[in-house]
């Protein structure tokens, strides 16, 4: 179950603002402009999985979009400020990097919301014809993803599976998707975001001596796999259905994946 309601908290170079309305909020207007990037994390007891990967993502995307790096030290400090401002240790948190005006240097902002629990049920996916622009960046301006996600949820599904015009499976609207071929994990080799949870799973699979690979996956081939799963900042969940294709959700390797992720060390912010 989700935690108690929290105000939005935005942290930038000028301090901490709580409960700002969008009407005069420069960050809100900048993000609506669609040029910026973000990372999303679940924080528990002031700790997060893969903190170094989050900071590396922010730095790399800031260099690509704004031509300069982003020091992880101040980012960590602003996250700590946000936690102190809410007096909560369990939250969902996003760090945004944006520019208030074209040509302006990047600024950061942190938004805190209630924690989101790991999915407790298998996920049902509906395929949609959509591929994210600059998919390797976790960018703002995600109307296409949000549009398709809302549509498939209204149809009774849990997540949208983004598919290219040639039928290539890429990623979920808010997840990475993976498949099982026997005891090997397969991630689609296609334009997609390298999610933090996916990167952590790859690392833990290698440490455990288990196999994974990337390969092109076509929508009309998904039935050939033994199982499927999705992952994002809230965890790892088996997939029970993609369109009309049904998957078994009791595969041992699915249990292994969830166990590996559960055992990933938590980093103190």
């Amino acid at each position: 179950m989700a935690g108690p309601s929290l105000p939005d908290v935005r942290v930038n170079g000028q301090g901490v603002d709580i409960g700002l309305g969008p009407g005069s909020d420069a960050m809100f207007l900048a993000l609506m402009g669609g040029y910026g990037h973000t990372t999303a994390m679940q924080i528990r007891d002031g700790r997060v999985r893969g903190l170094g990967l989050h900071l590396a993502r922010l730095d790399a995307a800031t260099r690509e979009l704004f031509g300069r790096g982003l020091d992880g030290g101040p980012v960590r400090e602003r996250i700590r400020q946000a936690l102190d401002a809410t007096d909560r240790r369990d939250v969902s948190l996003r760090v945004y990097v944006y520019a208030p005006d074209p040509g302006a240097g990047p600024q950061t902002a942190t938004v805190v919301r209630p924690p989101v629990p790991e999915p407790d049920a298998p996920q049902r996916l509906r395929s949609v014809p959509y591929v994210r622009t600059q998919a390797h960046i976790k960018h703002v301006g995600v109307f296409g993803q949000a549009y398709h996600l809302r549509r498939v949820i209204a149809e009774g599904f849990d997540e949208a599976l983004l598919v290219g015009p040639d039928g290539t499976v890429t990623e979920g609207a808010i997840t990475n998707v993976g498949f099982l071929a026997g005891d090997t994990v397969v991630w689609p080799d296609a334009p997609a975001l390298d999610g933090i949870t996916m990167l952590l799973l790859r690392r833990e699979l290698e440490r455990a001596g288990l196999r994974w690979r990337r390969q092109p996956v076509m929508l009309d081939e998904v039935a050939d796999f033994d199982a499927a799963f999705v992952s994002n900042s809230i965890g790892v969940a088996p997939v029970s259905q993609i369109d009309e294709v049904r998957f078994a959700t009791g595969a041992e390797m699915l249990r292994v994946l969830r166990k590996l992720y559960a055992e990933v060390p938590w980093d103190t912010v």
Side-chain angles (χ1 to χ4, degrees), residues 95-180:
V95 177
Y96 290 94
V97 182
Y98 68 101
D101 298 295
Q107 298 185 25
T108 63
T110 303
V111 176
V112 175
R113 292 191 173 94
V116 179
E118 190 168 2
D120 59 1
Q123 302 292 285
R124 301 173 65 236
L125 279 54
R126 168 71 80 188
S127 64
V128 299
Y130 184 76
V131 177
R132 293 194 307 118
T133 301
Q134 302 300 317
H136 65 289
I137 297 176
K138 190 174 179 67
H139 50 69
V140 299
V142 292
F143 174 82
Q145 290 164 258
Y147 171 82
H148 287 297
L149 181 59
R150 286 174 177 266
R151 291 289 295 269
V152 302
I153 288 175
E155 295 172 1
F157 289 81
D158 302 296
E159 167 67 313
L161 181 66
L162 310 186
V163 178
D166 62 349
T168 299
V169 172
T170 63
E171 59 189 335
I174 57 172
T175 61
N176 287 115
V177 61
F179 299 91
L180 296 183

Side-chain angles (χ1 to χ4, degrees), residues 20-65:
L20 287 176
S24 60
D25 183 2
M27 185 197 80
F28 176 84
L29 296 175
L31 295 180
M32 287 297 290
Y35 196 79
H37 65 92
T38 182
T39 196
M41 60 189 75
Q42 293 294 318
I43 296 179
R44 300 293 183 267
D45 192 26
R47 299 175 299 154
V48 61
R49 293 183 176 105
L51 178 60
L53 294 173
H54 283 287
L55 298 179
R57 165 190 280 176
L58 292 171
D59 179 61
T62 301
R63 291 178 186 277
E64 181 170 345
L65 295 185

Side-chain angles (χ1 to χ4, degrees), residues 168-236:
T168 299
V169 172
T170 63
E171 59 189 335
I174 57 172
T175 61
N176 287 115
V177 61
F179 299 91
L180 296 183
D183 59 359
T184 299
V185 176
V186 176
W187 275 284
D189 187 3
L193 179 72
D194 282 346
I196 302 300
T197 299
M198 182 182 73
L199 294 175
L200 291 171
L201 285 174
R202 289 180 180 177
R203 184 190 72 187
E204 297 306 308
L205 285 166
E206 291 171 358
R207 288 179 174 177
L210 300 172
R211 294 189 294 270
W212 68 268
R213 67 174 182 262
R214 296 185 66 188
Q215 71 178 52
V217 175
M218 307 302 291
L219 182 61
D220 60 7
E221 297 173 341
V222 299
D224 297 336
F225 291 99
D226 299 308
F229 64 95
V230 289
S231 65
N232 64 7
S233 65
I234 64 174
V236 181

